[in-house]
Amino acid sequence: MPETLSFTAKTLDGTAFSAAALAGKPVVLWFWAPWCATCASQAWTVAEIAPKYRDTVPIVGVAGLGEQKAMKEFVTEFDLAGTPQLDDRSGTLWRRFEVVEQSTFVIVDRDGRVVHQGFLDGESLTRQVDALARG
């Protein structure tokens, strides 16, 4: 079990989430904030591609730096409810992955190594996820 994925959290709707369940797959963690315009523009891409790659390259949102009500509204507005959106108001996961600004993508390969950390536009994200899905 890779150390990278040995964490648990609660989703915005209160469901328990364990990242350990994703071990052995490449995983994309998307750190976003509800008031962030960049995050809003990327949300469309995430909402579009996440369901398609749910079984091969899960995309997990990690919401921080805001109020839970605003986070839930963001999820509704951008139709993100089909993918796990974690409630990280406490900043635990943001600190764990050393994320310092919103709209950061952390890509973990199937061996649990972080292979990308930083900004990705919609096109780059789609390209990376597609490449990971093809293995």
Side-chain angles (χ1 to χ4, degrees), residues 49-113:
I49 68 173
K52 181 176 163 190
Y53 294 103
R54 181 177 289 125
D55 299 326
T56 48
V57 187
I59 299 177
V60 178
V62 186
L65 309 179
E67 295 296 315
Q68 189 182 40
K69 182 176 185 289
M71 292 170 176
K72 287 181 168 178
E73 286 167 357
F74 184 96
V75 167
T76 303
E77 183 180 348
F78 294 103
D79 202 13
L80 293 164
T83 51
Q85 301 295 327
L86 307 183
D87 182 346
D88 195 39
R89 281 172 294 167
S90 64
T92 308
L93 294 175
W94 286 58
R95 285 191 296 277
R96 180 190 171 98
F97 286 94
E98 297 176 5
V99 172
V100 291
E101 57 188 351
Q102 67 284 352
S103 216
T104 292
F105 287 94
V106 175
I107 300 180
V108 180
D109 72 9
R110 61 185 76 248
D111 300 317
R113 286 186 305 255

